[in-house]
Amino acid sequence: MKPLKVTSNFEVYDSVEELPQAIQNLMKTAVEARDKAYAPYSQFKVGAALSLNNNEVVTGSNQENASYPSGLCAERTAIYYAGAAFPEAQIQNIAISAKSMKHTVEAPVPPCGACRQALVEYEVKQETDIAVYFMGETGKVMKANSIKDLLPLIFENSVL
Ligand code: THU
């Protein structure tokens, strides 16, 4: 037996104002997308904004359904939209913001496990890393330079 230690790196910013202006703008776009979420069941709204290397910005928000599993998270709504609309473009950054209609979300909200798997597919496809910035409604912002920091030991197409 050999132990295997897996390390992930993150940066923590005290507030969104500490980020470069372009990322602040992307987070603002994520917040605008968040406010368009359709989340009558969870009362938890998430917005995502992706910047692409063709200067396009693509957004998504969570879309819920009376049949609960049929809903989709903001991150997957956004990345599938990017893949469908701009299949040749590379995704450079993702900004994510989450807000509860019941309480103030002050801690950064990372993408769920299923979204991490969906996101890493595009990192593998485009062969360049995607930076992820995530926050709650207010407070600290966390950054990962790659989806792989959020999802070590990825399942990828090379095993198929
Ligand atoms: N949600 C997201 O949009 N992204 C995540 O990464 C986690 C959860 C949504 C799904 C559901 O509509 C609501 O938040 C509560 O789970």
Side-chain angles (χ1 to χ4, degrees):
M1 191 282 275
K2 278 191 196 151
L4 171 68
K5 191 172 174 187
V6 180
T7 307
S8 287
N9 295 302
F10 295 92
E11 295 169 10
V12 183
Y13 297 84
D14 279 338
S15 81
V16 78
E17 283 82 30
E18 270 189 33
L19 294 162
Q21 192 58 51
I23 301 298
Q24 288 190 42
N25 294 347
L26 194 65
M27 189 59 85
K28 189 166 175 278
T29 305
V31 167
E32 286 163 7
R34 185 192 76 196
D35 292 339
K36 294 181 191 154
Y38 175 60
Y41 306 106
S42 70
Q43 301 288 311
F44 191 78
K45 295 186 169 194
V46 185
L50 280 58
S51 61
L52 313 183
N53 68 340
N54 61 1
N55 293 323
E56 294 282 348
V57 171
V58 166
T59 62
S61 57
N62 53 326
Q63 299 295 316
E64 297 186 349
N65 194 282
S67 174
Y68 293 172
S70 298
L72 195 63
C73 292
E75 296 88 334
R76 273 176 286 167
T77 304
I79 202 140
Y80 291 151
Y81 175 23
F86 305 107
E88 305 303 332
Q90 289 179 339
I91 300 153
Q92 295 176 318
N93 301 287
I94 305 180
I96 303 161
S97 173
K99 173 181 175 159
S100 168
M101 308 315 286
K102 299 180 212 161
H103 58 93
T104 306
V105 180
E106 289 177 0
V109 177
C112 77
C115 285
R116 294 176 201 199
Q117 180 66 33
L119 294 170
V120 85
E121 178 77 21
Y122 291 85
E123 221 176 56
V124 172
K125 176 187 173 219
Q126 68 185 33
E127 297 179 340
T128 57
D129 288 348
I130 302 171
V132 193
Y133 298 83
F134 52 94
M135 66 181 295
E137 181 184 353
T138 177
K140 291 189 187 339
V141 183
M142 284 181 67
K143 177 192 179 191
N145 286 318
S146 163
I147 312 295
K148 294 180 194 84
D149 283 311
L150 287 160
L151 189 69
L153 303 180
I154 57 167
F155 179 83
E156 57 164 308
N157 56 22
S158 62
V159 301
L160 297 177

